[in-house]
Amino acid sequence: MAYEPTIRKNPRQLTIDQHYHTAHAISMFYDSDDKVEVMDLSSGQIVRRHKRAKIFCTKRTWDQRAEKGYMVPIEDRFHEEIDNIKNFSKRDHEAISKYCLLWRLRHEFHLSSHTDVVLNGISDSGLTKDQEEILENKNCSFVREGGVVASRFSSGIEIQTLLDQHWDACSQFKWGLIEAQDGEFLVADGYGDFAFIPISPKRAFWAGESDQKINRRQLAEVNKESISRARKYYFARKISECPVA
C-alpha cells in the first residue's frame, strides 16, 4: 500500500517503518548473529532478517500520536512481562491481553486499504509540508485542501477506539506459559482471534491455558496453527528446529 513520504532526510524524525509486532518481541528469537529466519510466503524462500527489517513493518499506517503515544505504554507493559517471566498468580494478564489486542488491530490495519477522509465544509489549513510535519510531531492532525485528512490520522483514532470497544471481550483472559520440551516455536505475522503469543523459541503465552510443558507432537500442532494463521510470513530462531509434523 502506498504511503506518504516525509520531507527529505525526515528532519522531524517521524516514524516511517512501524512495527505491528514490536522489534523487541522479535529480538527474543534472535540467533547468535542477531537475526531470525523468516519464511516469506510470497516467494517460498527462507531469509534471515534483523528485527528492524522492512518485512516486519508497515509504512505510516497510523499517525505519530498513536505511534509515540497510547501504543507505547501497552508495549512497555508487555515487554516487562516477556523480560521477567512471573508465575501465574503474579503475571500481569491485563498487560498481555492489551498487547495481544493491539498486535491484532495493527496487523489488520496493515493488511487493509485505508483512504483519506474528506470533511465536507471544512477548508484547508494552508500549511506547508514542513509545518504539517511539525504539527504531527507534536501529536496534532491537520486538514488539507478540499477538507482532506490523511488516512493515518483516522487509523490512529480507529485503532484506539477499537481497543476500547473490544476490551470487554478479552479483559478477563488469563495467560498460561507454554514451554516446549523438544523443538522451538514458530511465530506468525499475526494471529487474528487466536489468543496466542510466542515469546521466545521455547516459550509462548496462551490465553485460557494453565502453565505447562508440551512435547514435540503437541508443539507441532501449535506450529501448524501458526503457519495457518500467517498471512505474509512466519519466523523463528531457526525454522528447521520447529516441528510441524
Side-chain angles (χ1 to χ4, degrees), residues 64-149:
Q64 195 74 0
R65 179 192 70 89
E67 174 73 12
K68 296 297 185 181
Y70 70 84
M71 293 181 178
V72 173
I74 298 173
E75 295 173 340
D76 288 347
R77 285 180 65 188
F78 176 70
H79 293 163
E80 170 68 19
E81 290 305 298
I82 63 176
D83 290 344
N84 303 282
I85 299 297
K86 308 174 185 69
N87 65 38
F88 190 87
S89 62
K90 293 184 178 180
R91 198 164 295 150
D92 189 345
H93 298 277
E94 180 179 278
I96 303 168
S97 297
K98 283 189 174 180
Y99 180 77
C100 181
L101 182 55
L102 179 65
W103 179 10
R104 171 186 171 183
L105 292 171
R106 293 196 298 201
H107 188 237
E108 288 176 354
F109 272 70
H110 164 62
L111 295 174
S112 303
S113 296
H114 298 277
T115 57
D116 293 344
V117 175
V118 177
L119 303 177
N120 294 324
I122 304 296
S123 60
D124 70 280
S125 48
L127 300 170
T128 66
K129 189 169 178 62
D130 185 52
Q131 289 171 329
E132 289 178 348
E133 292 191 359
I134 291 171
L135 284 174
E136 184 167 359
N137 189 49
K138 295 180 180 295
N139 300 327
C140 299
S141 58
F142 47 82
V143 178
R144 290 171 170 158
E145 184 177 357
V148 174
V149 178

